[in-house]
Amino acid sequence: MSELAILGGPKTRSQPYPEWPVWDERDIEAVTAVVRSGRWGGYPYPGPQTAEFARRFSELQGGSYAVPMASGTVTMEVACRATGIGWGDEVIIPAYTFQATAAAPMAAGAIPVIVDIDPQTYCIDPKAVEKAIAPKTKAIIVVHLGAEMADMDAIMEIAGRHDLVVIEDCAHAHGAKWRGKGAGTIGQFGSFSLQSSKTLTSGEGGVLLCRTSELAEKAASIIDCGRSHPGGGEEGEGEYSLGANYRMTEFQSALANVGIERFPEQASQREQMASYMDEALSEIPGVRLLKRDPRHTTRSFYRYIFAIDPEVFGVEHDALCTALDAEGVDCWTGYEAMHHYTLFQPAKSKLAVPAAFPQYFQFEKMHLPAAERACEHEAVWLDEAIFRAGRQGVDDAVAAIRKIQRNAKELAEAARKFREN
Ligand SMILES: Cc1ncc(COP(=O)(O)O)c(C=O)c1O
């Protein structure tokens, strides 16, 4: 009989990994208190729970003005609009990310210019950014992917030289630090998602860190139907601007306020278990860990991503992931490269930006080799739940990957036959 669960052998892990989000009576009490208070929505902005969350979140990341809002997509649209980025401006983004990183500048009227990633970190390649800068370039959106951070020293240096706005997409990077500075506090803006899969969640929601009170003031006004929010705080005297309702509700903020209390302990457990995982995984033939940059002083783990060299490992990443799932370890090959992303085909829609600027969306002409290799052959994404299951959780995941590598020949043969039929 085969050793591999996908070919009828025994499963490495039969017990499910812990669920997310984690909750207890505190969450129920917090939501109940909001129901009883009668103050449910986000208006007047910010409500007491939302103001408290803004304070706590900016403390967690170590500075900047926090403006909670509806999602980690509108945060980036608002960042663009708050700095006057709009119709026909170019915003450089990495090819390896969720579609929101491109959809957000488009919602502000700007054109996403997709560039390649650094194969060592899977984050935006500063050399590719430099090459893509053109007269209409106004901003760079970096994505701190999985558990990595983009090279913020290089990015800030380039942005400074070309007078560009830097927006850090920190949807995966709650609690992460670069040279001791919180992710999202280095560029002009840090955009965080609080959607339910994220390591700090309120079900849905987002929070935008703004480096100055002037930027926070503009952001708060845009998300509160244009009302004036001096310094990014409560509504005050001042002109109306053009905005819309992107407010976070008090229910969401109440949940975020409980989640943020649990966050430091969860983050430290993930970090400890990830270091343990690094050691064990690096001994498996064909496994390549992503770069551990010493300037990335605190790692945070939305997903643990590693690479394989398919020739040495023995199979491609999709076969490994399918086999790993069968072993009881949730696994994903990750996003598609943005220019190959089946969901991201704006030129096929009636969206204003691709309709007006089709020359930027000729994906068949784009060649971004590092992103293509990562997305089509190498990347393996593991769930952070593995770390919440302690050493046993990590041991099981590593044992399953080792088992698959040991039996890669048999798996490759089975995959070949499957494709032929
Ligand atoms: C890299 C990245 N950016 C942005 C977002 C968007 O966040 P939201 O779903 O809160 O709009 C996500 C969400 O998955 C993401 O992974």
Side-chain angles (χ1 to χ4, degrees):
M1 185 170 81
S2 173
E3 255 204 292
L4 297 173
I6 196 164
L7 299 176
K11 245 176 143 170
T12 308
R13 185 177 170 96
S14 45
Q15 200 190 345
Y17 279 103
E19 290 195 348
W20 184 260
V22 167
W23 58 273
D24 59 32
E25 284 307 307
R26 283 177 293 170
D27 303 82
I28 295 171
E29 278 164 24
V31 172
T32 307
V34 173
V35 174
R36 294 214 162 97
S37 76
R39 182 82 186 262
W40 294 3
Y43 175 80
Y45 183 84
Q49 290 291 335
T50 305
E52 176 62 12
F53 175 62
R55 192 189 62 70
R56 290 194 194 181
F57 191 76
S58 99
E59 200 177 284
L60 176 77
Q61 290 305 120
S64 291
Y65 299 81
V67 184
M69 51 188 84
S71 77
T73 305
V74 297
T75 39
M76 291 186 278
E77 177 194 339
V78 169
C80 290
R81 289 171 57 187
T83 40
I85 295 170
W87 189 246
D89 292 332
E90 294 178 16
V91 174
I92 298 173
I93 66 162
Y96 202 14
T97 182
F98 186 57
Q99 51 90 11
T101 317
M106 284 204 297
I111 305 160
V113 174
I114 305 169
V115 304
D116 212 351
I117 52 165
D118 175 346
Q120 303 298 317
T121 61
Y122 287 172
C123 295
I124 201 163
D125 179 355
K127 292 191 288 306
V129 170
E130 184 100 50
K131 272 197 210 143
I133 293 173
K136 288 203 290 174
T137 309
K138 292 286 163 21
I140 308 165
I141 305 185
V142 302
V143 179
H144 302 312
L145 194 81
E148 291 286 322
M149 279 186 80
D151 181 344
M152 288 310 292
D153 295 351
I155 294 294
M156 294 312 289
E157 191 276 322
I158 295 169
R161 234 178 328 110
H162 294 274
D163 195 20
L164 303 177
V165 172
V166 174
I167 302 167
E168 297 174 66
D169 182 345
C170 303
H172 301 182
H174 309 72
K177 292 200 170 124
W178 179 264
R179 293 182 187 276
K181 279 196 91 180
T185 69
I186 303 165
Q188 277 81 355
F189 297 100
S191 159
F192 292 80
S193 166
L194 303 170
Q195 172 267 345
S196 44
S197 70
K198 301 304 183 314
T199 54
L200 177 60
T201 180
S202 50
E204 299 290 353
V207 52
L208 183 66
L209 290 182
C210 307
R211 201 200 277 164
T212 65
S213 64
E214 290 77 21
L215 291 174
E217 183 168 333
K218 289 200 176 120
S221 174
I222 292 167
I223 65 146
D224 189 23
C225 306
R227 294 183 182 88
S228 176
H229 286 271
E234 287 183 6
E235 192 177 343
E237 294 298 311
E239 297 252 312
Y240 252 74
S241 58
L242 197 61
N245 176 5
Y246 288 163
R247 295 181 296 258
M248 184 146 140
T249 69
E250 286 289 279
F251 292 109
Q252 291 167 298
S253 299
L255 285 170
N257 280 327
V258 181
I260 208 165
E261 282 172 14
R262 294 190 190 100
F263 182 82
E265 203 183 317
Q266 289 167 340
S268 108
Q269 187 192 23
R270 288 187 191 109
E271 169 83 62
Q272 272 177 33
M273 288 299 110
S275 299
Y276 177 57
M277 180 101 164
D278 288 343
E279 271 179 41
L281 266 189
S282 56
E283 289 166 7
I284 301 178
V287 167
R288 174 172 68 84
L289 301 186
L290 296 188
K291 181 173 168 183
R292 191 152 181 194
D293 193 315
R295 296 169 299 174
H296 185 182
T297 40
T298 304
R299 295 191 294 172
S300 66
F301 292 88
Y302 169 59
R303 294 289 179 263
Y304 183 96
I305 306 177
F306 65 93
I308 56 164
D309 176 345
E311 258 136 55
V312 181
F313 192 88
V315 285
E316 293 275 332
H317 70 163
D318 47 357
L320 163 59
C321 278
T322 313
L324 205 47
D325 273 336
E327 296 294 338
V329 180
D330 285 347
C331 176
W332 191 40
T333 52
Y335 307 127
E336 290 170 78
M338 183 62 85
H339 60 303
H340 290 181
Y341 202 157
T342 42
L343 286 176
F344 183 72
Q345 296 290 336
K348 292 185 184 158
S349 71
K350 287 189 180 167
L351 288 174
V353 169
F357 306 102
Q359 67 276 27
Y360 287 89
F361 297 89
Q362 295 175 341
F363 293 154
E364 64 294 342
K365 291 193 184 154
M366 281 186 204
H367 183 45
L368 304 169
E372 285 159 23
R373 187 161 171 78
C375 302
E376 286 156 29
H377 305 284
E378 290 183 349
V380 180
W381 293 45
L382 297 179
D383 213 288
E384 59 72 50
I386 288 172
F387 302 141
R388 280 183 291 117
R391 276 184 172 247
Q392 189 60 53
V394 174
D395 288 343
D396 288 345
V398 173
I401 296 165
R402 205 187 285 281
K403 189 211 258 192
I404 294 165
Q405 198 283 320
R406 210 171 40 237
N407 294 281
K409 249 195 187 149
E410 185 192 2
L411 179 61
E413 185 54 21
R416 191 185 59 74
K417 282 195 187 139
F418 182 77
R419 273 194 302 272
E420 278 170 11
N421 289 329

